Amino acid sequence: MDIEYIGEHLIWGQLGQLFVILSFTAALLSALSYFQAHISPISERQSWKKLGRLGFWLHSLGVLGIIVTLFVILFNHYFEYQYVWQHSNTEMDMKYILSCFWEGQEGSFLLWSFWNAVLGNILLRTAKDWEFTTMAIVALVQVFLASMLLGIYVGGYKIGSDPFILLREHPDFSNLPFIQQPNYLAKLDGRGLNPLLQNYWMTIHPPTLFLGFSATLFPFVYAVAGIWSGKLREWIQPALPWAFFGISILGTGILMGGAWAYEALSFGGFWAWDPVENASLVPWLTFVAGGHVMLINQRKGESLVTAYFLIFITFILILYSTFLTRSGVLGETSVHAFTDLGMSGQLLIYLMFFIWLPSAFAIQDTKKKMFWVIGSVIFTIVNFFFFSKTLIALFLLASVVIMLTSINKQLPKSKEEEHSSSREFWMFVGALVLLIAAFQITFTTSTPVINKMLSGGLSSVFAKLNEWMPTDIFAKMAEAKLAAPTDPIEHYNSWQLPFAIIIAFIMAVAQFLKYKKTNVPQLFKQLLLAFTLAFVFTAVLGIWLEIAAPLYLLLLFASLFSVFANGDYLIRVVKGKLPKSGSSVAHVGFGLVLCGALISAGKQEFISKNNTPVNLGEDFPREENILLALNDTLEMGDYHVSYRGDSAAGINIYYNVDYFRKAEDGALVKEFTLSPFVQTNPRMGNVAEPATKHYLGKDIFTHVTYAPLEKETKKSGEWKEAKDFEMHVGDTLFTSNSLVIFRGIEKDIRTENYSQLKPSDIAVGAKLDVLSIDGKSRELMPIYVIRESTVFSIDALDDYNGIQTSFFKIDPENESFSIRLKERVDPKKEFIILKAIVFPGINILWIGCILMGLGTLLAVWSRISLYRNKKSNAST
């Protein structure tokens, strides 16, 4: 008997699914029409062009319809839809509805498809002679993205994930008892938005980042169109504005992510080398390299194969980053990664197809082209049944090699060698350095992927060899895995530091270099002022920052040299003319980013030092954490601070801390109040978010590392319910008025000291230190007892702090110990544990970010103007 459900709004889901189908089919129609327009006789091309345009406009309408429909069901909290239930709830502030939209995989794919459609329509109006080939590829990309939202089964395989699937039809919920109730929606609330995304930066960072992802498509499209149509050189000119637009937007999106991390996360910084952060940084590095090599080709006609490769690899790395973050492979190594929705195979096909496609266009010989295409189809079919990660990797490598060698064969060989003093030589060197830096980041970030390939490919080969010829070498190789770095920040910094130094030096010098050849003595004279200023400032800052490491001093000098040299070039050579100032402004910005990062990180100071005799335990190092009792005032760095209590606002609990400075007469004068808060989320876990006081020369960054969240409902003197904790040596527990630190195990228990023990008992004690907020320390030692086949605990009571502890379990494998703690209600002072860091010079970094974006946009403006002028001159 069918259940008649009450209160469902099915029309919106049906409308949304209709738009999904329209988006997919119209994109496919557009791709096929544009492809046919390119290969058809001239007399038939206009009709195919009209159909291609109509298809893309309908596709764009479909994408827009999906977005509007999804916003309607999110805004109205229609929890009958799984996507709405998964990513929102009624408690959430409605200003974060945008974050709900793109928190899930379906929403992020839709956002990506939306920007592709917007930029695709711009390309459609501006491509002119390039429209057939470029729009065919754009529409084909949209076919793949639209397929990610289909949510249909073909031959037992699921294609995409439907954002409009009903909660009661989702496999995880369809058999649950509450779904069988007709009015199940009456009391249903959503799971809610990830607490980390409930921040204003997350309403603007993802759309900016995905706009940058979309922008990488269009230089790639022009490059592939150039291969397809045989215009191997001509594509550079129309693609250049797209390239520098993409560099600007993608870079801005990445920097916004750093700003979000700094403002919302509690690790105290703006970049943590998280795998998902890396996955967006690497394409930007190759994009910057590709854009500069395109400039070389435009000016000198050289390095075309390198330009192809860098633009190609940038778009492929965007697809690869999508695979990394959405296939589930990074689930254990990144806090940002999506969980796998069964899309990993589909994403891999997406990636493989666009690696392969340019190679099929690049082969000029018809027979060889047919052989390669048919062979690729056969390989795909065979590999579908006998999946081999190693063979896939070799096939993709072969595709790249075929593309590059085929292009290289069609280009005339250069007769002129680049002089080592030329601008193009050092721009090319810079591009190579960026490529090597990107490779290092990609290699380390891809450790989980490489290990999966090893486990399914080479490891099985060595396992077979070990069966035939058992040796230690084969056995070890069969189990070989790459180890992820134990300290990622130190690992990446040690690798990337030399690359940053080289790039900064090249940026300082390159603007003054001439194409073809430079007068070196004259170059030294031009750079002398910037070099001198950089040397003086490095000496002063190096002493102030107490920098002893030579590489850090060299980075400081190189970044300052870049800032002064490009500033000098902007004033003396460009004379402040905006159309020509883009590169100088961007280079000044990048130099300031390096300088600001070095100063803020190198001179950061923890002012929340614990100068009391009370040891807060290993979880709260005394060099970084300070305990503040309610209304007590303690000295902290140049300030005195006082915890004034908490206040609740919705799901946030704010902890108000006043900062004072001592006046000349010794009185404390209040300067400001910071209110770091904890966002409570019983379902996903509570999240501490910092509060920062911004000054021109520094930031004071604070966050709460511990605070009691539960408000007491029992009367004074009553015992609360006992709680169980699994602890390791050095761990810290919290009560309302004290800290309990697990110091270790006492094996020498004298049975005669305990009336409950017999001589034959096996007993060990848990050594606990109880630290009350008044600074007093007491020792407790509950006893774990084994008597024949019975296990029990001899409890320990701290009457002063109202704590009773039991020791009831030992796990030798995990070296963990289970402690049961019961607390008596005692109205003593509340307290928090606070961490405060001073970041000097952080605004240098943020100013640099702004200048980088501004300079790149000026470069885009310059390239568009140049392109229009050339076209108008050609037409006249």
Side-chain angles (χ1 to χ4, degrees):
M1 179 177 175
D2 293 336
I3 301 173
E4 293 187 10
Y5 290 100
I6 301 171
E8 291 185 331
H9 306 82
L10 302 183
I11 185 65
W12 291 106
Q14 294 163 357
L15 184 62
Q17 289 168 337
L18 182 65
F19 281 126
V20 169
I21 295 170
L22 174 64
S23 170
F24 177 77
T25 55
L28 186 59
L29 171 66
S30 180
L32 293 174
S33 299
Y34 274 119
F35 180 85
Q36 191 65 35
H38 178 66
I39 63 174
S40 294
I42 296 176
S43 59
E44 300 177 11
R45 288 182 179 179
Q46 285 302 313
S47 58
W48 285 112
K49 173 183 172 181
K50 289 179 181 178
L51 190 58
R53 284 188 168 188
L54 177 62
F56 199 81
W57 290 333
L58 288 174
H59 161 74
S60 303
L61 178 64
V63 171
L64 188 61
I66 301 169
I67 291 172
V68 171
T69 307
L70 196 55
F71 267 121
V72 167
I73 63 175
L74 279 167
F75 188 82
N76 289 287
H77 296 307
Y78 292 160
F79 295 124
E80 58 266 38
Y81 294 100
Q82 192 271 341
Y83 196 87
V84 180
W85 177 88
Q86 182 79 12
H87 303 292
S88 71
N89 60 12
T90 53
E91 292 182 358
M92 183 195 70
D93 195 320
M94 289 304 293
K95 65 185 177 183
Y96 299 126
I97 199 74
L98 288 172
S99 299
C100 295
F101 175 83
W102 44 68
E103 184 194 23
Q105 291 218 42
E106 300 91 338
S108 60
F109 279 121
L110 184 55
L111 180 61
W112 192 359
S113 184
F114 168 75
W115 284 126
N116 279 354
V118 170
L119 297 181
N121 276 286
I122 295 173
L123 179 68
L124 186 149
R125 304 299 300 178
T126 59
K128 306 299 181 186
D129 296 341
W130 293 88
E131 182 178 345
F132 298 160
T133 47
T134 56
M135 287 303 301
I137 301 163
V138 171
L140 194 56
V141 169
Q142 292 297 81
V143 170
F144 276 90
L145 286 177
S147 72
M148 297 295 179
L149 304 179
L150 287 175
I152 60 174
Y153 286 87
V154 176
Y157 291 92
K158 187 180 180 184
I159 300 177
S161 178
D162 180 10
F164 300 103
I165 187 172
L166 292 170
L167 187 69
R168 57 183 169 86
E169 294 178 351
H170 193 278
D172 293 343
F173 297 90
S174 58
N175 294 320
L176 295 181
F178 83 94
I179 292 294
Q180 311 307 317
Q181 304 298 320
N183 64 337
Y184 75 98
L185 289 173
K187 296 182 180 180
L188 184 65
D189 198 0
R191 178 174 177 267
L193 180 66
N194 187 323
L196 291 174
L197 302 184
Q198 296 187 39
N199 180 277
Y200 64 93
W201 278 110
M202 294 312 292
T203 62
I204 56 176
H205 161 56
T208 306
L209 189 66
F210 274 93
L211 176 57
F213 285 178
S214 293
T216 65
L217 168 63
F218 293 87
F220 171 82
V221 159
Y222 270 109
V224 176
I227 299 172
W228 186 6
S229 59
K231 300 176 182 178
L232 294 179
R233 294 183 181 276
E234 293 88 338
W235 67 275
I236 293 283
Q237 186 67 43
L240 261 173
W242 287 103
F244 280 94
F245 169 75
I247 290 168
S248 174
I249 299 300
L250 182 57
T252 302
I254 294 169
L255 293 171
M256 282 182 175
W260 164 70
Y262 182 72
E263 290 282 345
L265 303 185
S266 57
F267 68 86
F270 47 84
W271 195 262
W273 294 107
D274 181 271
V276 174
E277 294 174 341
N278 298 345
S280 58
L281 174 65
V282 167
W284 183 77
L285 292 176
T286 59
F287 210 5
V288 172
H292 285 78
V293 174
M294 289 169 70
L295 288 175
I296 296 173
N297 181 266
Q298 183 197 36
R299 191 64 181 256
K300 294 286 295 174
E302 303 292 338
S303 307
L304 186 59
V305 174
T306 307
Y308 267 110
F309 175 72
L310 289 170
I311 292 303
F312 165 81
I313 202 65
T314 295
F315 179 67
I316 295 305
L317 284 168
I318 291 292
L319 301 186
Y320 179 63
S321 70
T322 305
F323 172 77
L324 279 181
T325 55
R326 287 163 175 77
S327 64
V329 71
L330 292 180
E332 297 179 358
T333 59
S334 173
V335 297
H336 299 81
F338 291 85
T339 54
D340 187 11
L341 290 181
M343 291 186 181
S344 55
Q346 197 174 343
L347 288 168
L348 187 59
I349 293 170
Y350 186 10
L351 175 64
M352 288 174 60
F353 180 81
F354 284 99
I355 292 176
W356 171 85
L357 183 65
S359 68
F361 287 140
I363 300 173
Q364 294 298 298
D365 185 272
T366 305
K367 290 183 179 179
K368 290 181 180 178
K369 187 189 291 281
M370 290 302 297
F371 176 80
W372 174 241
V373 172
I374 294 170
S376 300
V377 172
I378 293 172
F379 170 82
T380 304
I381 294 171
V382 171
N383 205 63
F384 182 80
F385 295 101
F386 305 99
F387 185 74
S388 170
K389 298 168 187 172
T390 305
L391 288 178
I392 289 175
L394 292 174
F395 171 73
L396 298 179
L397 180 61
S399 299
V400 177
V401 171
I402 288 171
M403 178 194 73
L404 295 178
T405 54
S406 298
I407 293 170
N408 192 52
K409 286 178 182 178
Q410 299 173 56
L411 297 175
K413 303 301 177 187
S414 176
K415 297 179 181 179
E416 184 181 350
E417 290 288 334
E418 293 176 353
H419 198 276
S420 60
S421 67
S422 67
R423 180 183 288 194
E424 61 269 25
F425 176 82
W426 287 104
M427 286 174 67
F428 187 80
V429 170
L432 288 181
V433 172
L434 289 173
L435 182 61
I436 296 168
F439 174 79
Q440 185 276 319
I441 299 170
T442 302
F443 182 82
T444 304
T445 304
S446 301
T447 298
V449 177
I450 296 170
N451 285 334
K452 280 183 176 286
M453 290 184 65
L454 288 174
S455 65
L458 294 175
S459 294
S460 59
V461 173
F462 283 111
K464 279 291 183 186
L465 289 172
N466 191 51
E467 289 178 12
W468 297 334
M469 297 177 290
T471 63
D472 288 341
I473 295 176
F474 289 152
K476 288 179 180 178
M477 291 301 293
E479 298 176 358
K481 283 190 174 182
L482 293 176
T486 53
D487 185 349
I489 294 178
E490 176 61 30
H491 170 82
Y492 284 107
N493 284 349
S494 63
W495 275 97
Q496 294 299 312
L497 188 60
F499 300 138
I501 292 169
I502 296 170
I503 291 298
F505 272 118
I506 291 174
M507 287 194 311
V509 176
Q511 292 282 65
F512 291 93
L513 295 173
K514 307 294 184 184
Y515 284 102
K516 293 187 178 182
K517 191 176 180 180
T518 302
N519 186 323
V520 176
Q522 184 181 357
L523 174 68
F524 286 157
K525 289 181 181 178
Q526 291 174 313
L527 292 171
L528 182 60
L529 176 62
F531 186 91
T532 305
L533 288 172
F535 184 83
V536 172
F537 273 78
T538 299
V540 173
L541 289 174
I543 295 170
W544 176 60
L545 295 170
E546 300 177 352
I547 300 176
L551 278 179
Y552 284 104
L553 278 171
L554 196 56
L555 176 63
L556 180 60
F557 173 76
S559 60
L560 289 170
F561 187 29
S562 177
V563 170
F564 288 128
N566 281 279
D568 185 28
Y569 186 85
L570 184 63
I571 295 169
R572 290 201 295 171
V573 180
V574 177
K575 301 185 185 301
K577 296 175 183 176
L578 279 180
K580 296 182 178 180
S581 62
S583 58
S584 297
V585 173
H587 291 170
V588 168
F590 189 75
L592 289 175
V593 167
L594 293 178
C595 189
L598 185 61
I599 292 173
S600 62
K603 195 60 178 176
Q604 74 175 39
E605 178 189 4
F606 287 92
I607 58 174
S608 52
K609 294 179 180 179
N610 176 17
N611 295 318
T612 69
V614 178
N615 185 355
L616 302 179
E618 293 181 7
D619 294 335
F620 305 93
R622 63 168 53 248
E623 296 82 11
E624 300 178 6
N625 295 271
I626 188 170
L627 186 148
L628 296 176
L630 184 65
N631 293 323
D632 281 356
T633 302
L634 294 178
E635 187 175 1
M636 193 173 77
D638 295 333
Y639 301 91
H640 284 71
V641 293
S642 179
Y643 170 48
R644 297 304 190 190
D646 59 30
S647 57
I651 60 174
N652 298 329
I653 301 176
Y654 292 86
Y655 298 89
N656 306 305
V657 180
D658 289 343
Y659 282 69
F660 301 87
R661 276 194 185 274
K662 188 174 287 188
E664 293 182 1
D665 60 358
L668 294 179
V669 179
K670 181 178 173 181
E671 287 221 343
F672 57 89
T673 299
L674 287 177
S675 300
F677 65 95
V678 174
Q679 186 182 147
T680 57
N681 192 311
R683 191 187 294 267
M684 301 184 195
N686 302 322
V687 175
E689 296 204 22
T692 305
K693 178 65 175 178
H694 300 286
Y695 289 101
L696 184 61
K698 67 180 179 182
D699 279 0
I700 299 174
F701 175 98
T702 63
H703 76 98
V704 173
T705 50
Y706 172 77
L709 298 177
E710 297 178 359
K711 295 300 181 182
E712 191 50 59
T713 57
K714 292 181 178 290
K715 296 179 180 178
S716 177
E718 293 182 350
W719 288 90
K720 304 177 185 178
E721 301 231 352
K723 294 182 179 180
D724 294 344
F725 302 92
E726 184 177 308
M727 304 187 72
H728 297 82
V729 174
D731 285 355
T732 303
L733 297 178
F734 297 93
T735 71
S736 300
N737 306 297
S738 60
L739 291 78
V740 181
I741 304 170
F742 186 25
R743 298 297 188 192
I745 292 295
E746 177 59 61
K747 298 178 181 178
D748 186 17
I749 302 295
R750 296 183 177 276
T751 56
E752 61 268 22
N753 293 340
Y754 296 87
S755 59
Q756 303 97 319
L757 293 178
K758 296 181 179 181
S760 60
D761 290 343
I762 300 173
V764 293
K767 295 190 290 185
L768 305 174
D769 280 355
V770 182
L771 307 176
S772 54
I773 60 173
D774 59 11
K776 296 180 180 178
S777 175
R778 289 169 176 78
E779 294 182 358
L780 281 182
M781 190 165 67
I783 309 296
Y784 176 84
V785 184
I786 302 176
R787 178 178 295 168
E788 298 177 352
S789 60
T790 305
V791 175
F792 63 93
S793 170
I794 299 176
D795 296 349
L797 174 66
D798 175 4
D799 193 57
Y800 178 82
N801 289 297
I803 295 172
Q804 182 174 310
T805 57
S806 305
F807 184 12
F808 65 92
K809 185 180 177 182
I810 298 175
D811 185 346
E813 185 176 344
N814 295 320
E815 297 183 356
S816 63
F817 308 89
S818 296
I819 303 295
R820 180 170 293 136
L821 185 145
K822 189 161 66 170
E823 183 184 359
R824 187 173 57 213
V825 177
D826 191 359
K828 294 181 182 177
K829 282 187 176 181
E830 298 176 13
F831 71 95
I832 60 172
I833 298 178
L834 185 76
K835 182 180 289 188
I837 312 170
V838 174
F839 286 105
I842 189 70
N843 286 330
I844 298 174
L845 183 144
W846 302 128
I847 292 169
C849 294
I850 295 169
L851 289 177
M852 276 180 64
L854 178 62
T856 314
L857 287 176
L858 286 172
V860 174
W861 175 30
S862 174
R863 294 297 148 192
I864 292 174
S865 300
L866 183 64
Y867 181 52
R868 286 177 176 173
N869 290 337
K870 282 193 174 184
K871 290 198 73 174
S872 62
N873 292 336
S875 62
T876 55

